[in-house]
Amino acid sequence: MASHRRPKKPSRTRVTVLTTAAAAAVALSANAANAAPSEKLSKDQVKSKVDELYQQAEQATEKLDGAKEKQHKLQKEISTIQDNVARGQQDLNALRDGLGSMATAQYRSGGIDPSVQLFLSSNPDDYLDKASTLDQLSSQQVESLQKVQDKQRELAQQRAEATEKLKDLAATRAELGKKKDEVKGKLAEAQRILNTLTAKEKAKLAEEQERASRSSTARVDLGDTPAASNRAAAAFRAAQSQINKPYSYGTAGMATFDCSGLTSWAYGQANVSIPRTSEAQAQLGPHLSMSQLQVGDLVFFYGDLHHVGLYAGNGQVLHAPHTGAVVRYEAMGNMPFQFGVRV
């Protein structure tokens, strides 16, 4: 007679193993089906990707420059506050010494006034708020206690301000580290892509870059556009003296520059202080159209204003372009112009 026993169910562990194996097999087969064979990028494709990464690195560089400037400003403000607190503490000690001398004199003449004795053992705020105590103090004592109270409040406010600025400084330093890592990451990725080129392709790309730099300085026609002002002319001449200096992120001369480093340095040579970052420089004055530009005006590019240069005349900008390039002239039509600003 045939057996009607049900087949034994597989164990939970066996089901789990089989299910996992099946899922892995499906995933592997899907990956194999979707994986496209790796294709070597052409030289032009590499250049396009690298240029994009350089733009991203410059965006991060402007944020890095901003964090550096903020850090420097906070450090100066904190130092000033700490100096003020130190001097204020000396003044407070002198005021307290004066009260102590007053108490000593009172004791020698027949005992310390109860209100002064009370003050010397506690906080003057507790007594100045009580009318009964004020009645017991001489006008000189009231004035001395009021000065102590005012100085204590001033010092407390300054210490609280310093504490907040120290917190801000710590956050700024953390941001600085992140932006440095971001810039380095973009440049490392650009280098990795460049390394996929053959030696011959790399040499050709370098030759093209060198040719672009030479042609921009040797044959550029700046026309006869006048300078916006004497200081704009002086800033432009200073920038011209740095032609062929290499771009390097986060620097503002004398050996290397980034874009806003060049413009801020150039105006500094004309004894005009302007902010360090392109975004801040863009806020210096009304916006100018292309037709309104004169030599030495600041000119800004890209929607987020992460690139800046000096107008050179005849549709040319003098700027520090990006990593791998040098300070040079370039046609403004090569970048998305936004507006100009006259300093």
Side-chain angles (χ1 to χ4, degrees):
M1 181 181 294
S3 172
H4 295 287
R5 292 182 182 175
R6 293 180 181 177
K8 186 178 180 181
K9 292 183 180 180
S11 69
R12 186 184 299 272
T13 302
R14 179 175 173 78
V15 169
T16 301
V17 170
L18 290 172
T19 303
T20 303
V26 169
L28 285 171
S29 115
N31 287 339
N34 293 331
S38 59
E39 296 180 1
K40 186 180 184 305
L41 297 176
S42 68
K43 178 178 67 66
D44 290 341
Q45 288 174 321
V46 166
K47 184 180 184 306
S48 177
K49 284 185 174 293
V50 167
D51 286 346
E52 182 180 354
L53 285 166
Y54 283 161
Q55 287 298 325
Q56 293 172 4
E58 190 175 37
Q59 287 174 308
T61 293
E62 285 303 299
K63 300 296 183 185
L64 172 67
D65 290 340
K68 280 183 178 179
E69 188 173 37
K70 184 177 180 181
Q71 175 182 248
H72 180 64
K73 180 181 177 183
L74 283 169
Q75 286 172 329
K76 287 180 66 176
E77 290 175 349
I78 290 168
S79 179
T80 298
I81 292 172
Q82 289 174 336
D83 288 345
N84 290 340
V85 167
R87 285 194 294 271
Q89 188 63 54
Q90 290 176 347
D91 293 342
L92 179 59
N93 292 341
L95 289 170
R96 283 174 169 164
D97 288 344
L99 280 172
S101 298
M102 188 186 304
T104 300
Q106 287 179 345
Y107 176 78
R108 287 173 178 170
S109 63
I112 302 177
D113 187 297
S115 59
V116 176
Q117 186 179 34
L118 193 60
F119 162 71
L120 292 175
S121 64
S122 187
N123 190 317
D125 288 350
D126 295 338
Y127 317 121
L128 289 176
D129 293 336
K130 298 176 182 178
S132 59
T133 302
L134 289 174
D135 291 340
Q136 300 175 42
L137 299 177
S138 69
S139 60
Q140 183 182 3
Q141 290 166 342
V142 169
E143 183 180 356
S144 297
L145 286 170
Q146 187 65 58
K147 286 181 179 179
V148 169
Q149 182 186 48
D150 291 344
K151 182 57 67 174
Q152 285 176 324
R153 286 174 178 167
E154 179 186 338
L155 289 176
Q157 182 178 355
Q158 289 178 333
R159 287 188 177 110
E161 184 181 358
T163 298
E164 288 304 310
K165 287 188 180 295
L166 284 168
K167 290 179 183 177
D168 198 2
L169 179 59
T172 300
R173 282 174 172 161
E175 180 188 1
L176 194 61
K178 288 180 182 178
K179 289 304 174 186
K180 280 183 180 178
D181 290 343
E182 185 177 348
V183 173
K184 289 178 180 178
K186 297 294 183 185
L187 296 180
E189 176 64 9
Q191 189 59 55
R192 186 192 67 76
I193 294 174
L194 284 171
N195 288 341
T196 64
L197 296 175
T198 64
K200 185 176 180 180
E201 288 172 328
K202 285 181 183 178
K204 187 167 181 58
L205 199 60
E207 181 184 345
E208 290 174 0
Q209 182 67 42
E210 178 65 22
R211 187 162 55 247
S213 295
R214 284 199 309 269
S215 64
S216 72
T217 55
R219 295 191 296 273
V220 66
D221 178 10
L222 301 181
D224 56 0
T225 306
S229 63
N230 288 336
R231 60 186 184 180
F236 184 68
R237 286 194 299 271
Q240 283 181 307
S241 72
Q242 302 305 300
I243 285 175
N244 288 326
K245 293 286 182 71
Y247 178 100
S248 180
Y249 76 89
T251 60
M254 285 282 294
T256 61
F257 297 88
D258 61 23
C259 69
S260 58
L262 176 66
T263 52
S264 59
W265 177 86
Y267 267 96
Q269 304 314 295
N271 296 317
V272 179
S273 176
I274 65 174
R276 176 63 176 84
T277 67
S278 59
E279 185 177 353
Q281 290 175 15
Q283 308 303 316
L284 289 175
H287 295 177
L288 306 174
S289 66
M290 183 79 77
S291 62
Q292 296 174 303
L293 295 176
Q294 292 182 291
V295 172
D297 285 337
L298 298 173
V299 284
F300 299 88
F301 302 89
Y302 301 96
D304 61 357
L305 309 178
H306 72 261
H307 190 69
V308 62
L310 293 168
Y311 186 63
N314 199 27
Q316 299 286 319
V317 59
L318 177 57
H319 67 150
H322 53 72
T323 298
V326 297
V327 174
R328 69 190 189 195
Y329 299 111
E330 188 166 345
M332 289 176 59
N334 291 348
M335 299 172 288
F337 170 73
Q338 302 300 305
F339 56 80
V341 164
R342 187 154 297 153
V343 178

